[in-house]
C-alpha cells in the first residue's frame, strides 16, 4: 500500500470521528466517544491528512516520479561467432568484423565471353637468302625444267623474283618441262602472290599452283594465260584454272582479264580449294570455290612460267605469302 493511500485512510477515519464523535465499533476496531473539542481537532487532522494524500503524486501514474532509482540498461556483451574456414584465414584479418554470409549462390551470372582471337597475318616469305640476297632462300626448291636457259633472277629486293623459260616448255598432262620455284607446306593453308606478266607469242602462261609432293603430275594451277581460246579468233589473255590428275589434264574455268598485273590466291581446307584473283590484292574475285581435289596433306605451292611456242618468256613474282591455318 502506498503512503498516499495510508494518509487518505487515516484522514478519513479522523474526519469520521470528528463528525460522529466516536462510539463506532467494526470487528476488532472500536472508537470510543470523545468530547466536542476532540471532535473538532480530529476533523481538522482528518482534513489535513486527506489534503496531503491528495497532493502526493500517484506512483502508478505515467508522469509520476518513481521513488525507486532507475537502473541504466546494460548492453548485452557481443557474442563471437566461431566459423571453421575451409581454408586458412589471413593472420591480419580483423576478428570482430561481422561477415555477411550469402544464403544462396546466384546461378544466372553470365560467364565472361572469350576474347576474340585475332586472325594471323600472312607474312611475306623472302625469295632471297637472309645471308645473301643473290642466293635463293633455302625454304624454296628449284626445278630447272628441260633447258639450261630456264633460270631465275633475284634482285636487291628480296621479295621479288623473275622466272625465265625457254621456248617449248610446258606443264600439261605428262609434260613437266617448265622452270618451277616450289615451297613445301602441310595441311590447310592460304597462299597468294602478285604476278606481272607480259606475253608476246600467243602460247604463254605464268601461274601460282599446288601440286602433290609425291606426284608432280597431280596439280591445281591458277594463272594468267595468253592463248587461243575461241576458234577463228586471235589469242586472248585470261585468268585460267587448270588441273592435272596423274597425267590427265583439264581446264576448269576461265575469265577475261586484260591487265598485265594480277594478284592470285588459293585457299585450302582439307580437300576443298578456293581460287581468287584481284587487280589490287584487296578486292578479290572468286574464279572457282568449293572445288574438291584429293590431294595429300603434304603438297608444294609452286610458281611457274612457260612458253609453248619457239620464243622464250619471263614473268615477275612479288610478295609471296603462305600461311598454315
Amino acid at each position: 500500500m502506498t503512503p498516499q493511500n495510508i494518509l487518505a485512510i487515516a484522514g478519513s477515519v479522523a474526519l469520521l470521528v470528528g463528525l460522529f464523535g466516536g462510539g463506532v465499533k467494526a470487528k476488532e476496531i472500536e472508537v470510543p466517544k470523545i468530547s466536542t473539542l476532540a471532535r473538532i481537532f480530529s476533523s481538522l487532522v482528518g482534513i489535513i491528512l486527506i489534503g496531503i494524500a491528495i497532493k502526493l503524486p500517484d506512483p502508478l501514474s505515467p508522469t509520476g516520479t518513481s521513488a525507486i532509482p532507475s537502473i541504466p540498461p546494460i548492453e548485452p556483451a557481443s557474442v563471437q561467432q566461431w566459423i571453421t574456414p575451409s581454408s586458412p584465414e589471413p593472420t591480419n584479418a580483423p576478428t570482430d568484423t561481422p561477415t555477411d554470409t550469402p544464403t544462396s549462390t546466384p546461378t544466372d551470372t553470365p560467364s565472361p565471353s572469350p576474347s576474340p582471337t585475332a586472325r594471323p597475318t600472312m607474312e611475306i616469305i623472302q625469295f632471297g637468302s637472309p645471308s645473301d640476297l643473290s642466293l635463293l632462300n633455302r625454304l624454296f626448291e628449284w626445278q630447272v625444267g628441260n633447258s639450261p636457259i630456264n633460270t631465275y633472277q633475284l634482285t636487291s629486293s628480296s621479295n621479288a623474283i623473275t622466272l625465265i623459260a625457254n621456248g617449248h616448255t610446258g606443264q600439261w598432262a605428262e609434260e613437266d618441262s617448265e622452270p618451277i620455284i616450289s615451297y613445301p607446306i602441310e595441311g590447310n593453308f592460304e597462299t597468294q602472290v602478285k604476278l606481272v606478266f607480259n606475253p608476246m607469242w600467243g602460247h604463254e602462261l605464268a601461274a601460282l599452283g599446288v601440286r602433290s609432293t609425291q606426284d608432280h603430275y597431280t596439280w591445281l594451277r591458277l594463272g594468267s594465260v595468253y592463248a587461243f581460246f575461241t576458234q577463228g579468233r586471235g589469242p586472248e589473255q585470261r585468268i585460267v584454272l587448270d588441273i592435272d590428275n596423274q597425267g590427265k589434264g583439264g581446264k576448269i574455268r576461265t575469265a577475261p582479264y586484260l591487265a598485265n598485273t594480277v594478284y592470285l590466291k588459293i585457299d585450302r581446307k582439307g580437300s576443298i580449294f578456293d581460287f581468287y584473283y584481284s587487280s589490287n590484292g584487296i578486292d578479290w574475285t572468286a574464279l572457282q570455290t568449293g572445288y574438291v581435289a584429293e590431294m595429300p596433306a603434304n603438297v608444294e605451292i609452286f610458281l611457274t612460267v612457260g612458253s609453248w611456242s619457239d620464243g622464250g618468256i619471263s614473268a615477275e613474282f612479288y610478295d609471296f605469302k603462305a600461311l598454315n591455318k
Side-chain angles (χ1 to χ4, degrees):
M1 183 177 291
T2 65
Q4 185 184 31
N5 293 335
I6 294 173
L7 289 174
I9 293 171
S12 299
V13 171
L15 181 60
L16 291 173
V17 170
L19 292 175
F20 297 102
V24 179
K25 183 178 180 180
K27 293 186 179 183
E28 293 83 6
I29 301 174
E30 181 180 356
V31 180
K33 285 284 186 175
I34 60 177
S35 63
T36 302
L37 183 62
R39 290 173 61 186
I40 294 171
F41 178 76
S42 179
S43 298
L44 291 174
V45 172
I47 293 171
I48 292 171
L49 292 176
I50 293 173
I52 293 172
I54 293 172
K55 289 183 178 181
L56 286 175
D58 186 2
L60 300 178
S61 173
T63 58
T65 304
S66 173
I68 302 175
S70 62
I71 300 175
I74 301 174
E75 296 183 0
S78 61
V79 179
Q80 184 176 7
Q81 182 180 8
W82 291 92
I83 302 175
T84 304
S86 58
S87 58
E89 293 290 338
T91 57
N92 59 351
T95 58
D96 57 349
T97 302
T99 303
D100 293 332
T101 304
T103 57
S104 62
T105 302
T107 58
D108 57 349
T109 303
S111 300
S113 300
S115 301
T117 304
R119 185 177 185 271
T121 302
M122 286 197 299
E123 300 291 340
I124 295 174
I125 301 174
Q126 307 294 338
F127 290 112
S129 171
S131 58
D132 188 348
L133 294 180
S134 64
L135 300 177
L136 185 66
N137 192 328
R138 292 184 177 181
L139 297 175
F140 295 93
E141 297 179 1
W142 165 244
Q143 174 182 307
V144 65
N146 65 346
S147 171
I149 297 178
N150 298 340
T151 188
Y152 63 86
Q153 291 181 352
L154 296 168
T155 65
S156 58
S157 176
S158 60
N159 67 326
I161 191 171
T162 300
L163 295 184
I164 302 170
N166 197 4
H168 303 290
T169 52
Q171 184 191 40
W172 186 257
E174 294 182 352
E175 183 179 3
D176 187 28
S177 59
E178 292 182 356
I180 288 177
I181 292 285
S182 61
Y183 177 84
I185 196 168
E186 181 180 0
N188 297 333
F189 63 85
E190 181 178 335
T191 182
Q192 67 182 62
V193 74
K194 175 184 176 182
L195 168 65
V196 178
F197 181 50
N198 296 284
M200 297 180 294
W201 312 106
H203 294 86
E204 297 103 345
L205 71 87
L208 166 71
V210 179
R211 70 180 182 181
S212 169
T213 303
Q214 296 82 17
D215 179 13
H216 287 179
Y217 299 121
T218 297
W219 47 255
L220 307 169
R221 188 182 65 197
L222 175 69
S224 178
V225 178
Y226 186 58
F228 297 88
F229 292 94
T230 305
Q231 187 175 4
R233 299 178 58 179
E236 303 173 61
Q237 190 164 343
R238 295 188 182 185
I239 301 298
V240 179
L241 172 60
D242 290 321
I243 66 167
D244 202 356
N245 184 15
Q246 297 180 343
K248 298 179 180 180
K251 196 175 299 296
I252 300 300
R253 183 161 296 183
T254 71
Y257 190 87
L258 301 179
N260 293 328
T261 299
V262 64
Y263 292 79
L264 305 170
K265 180 168 71 172
I266 302 175
D267 190 355
R268 178 184 187 178
K269 297 182 181 68
S271 59
I272 306 298
F273 291 82
D274 300 327
F275 303 88
Y276 305 89
Y277 65 96
S278 170
S279 60
N280 55 17
I282 300 174
D283 304 307
W284 296 93
T285 299
L287 181 66
Q288 175 71 48
T289 59
Y291 184 79
V292 179
E294 296 302 326
M295 299 281 280
N298 294 301
V299 295
E300 297 173 347
I301 301 170
F302 66 86
L303 308 175
T304 188
V305 62
S307 173
W308 311 317
S309 63
D310 294 335
I313 195 66
S314 66
E316 299 169 9
F317 296 88
Y318 297 88
D319 302 336
F320 173 75
K321 302 176 183 179
L323 175 69
N324 276 109
K325 299 194 301 181

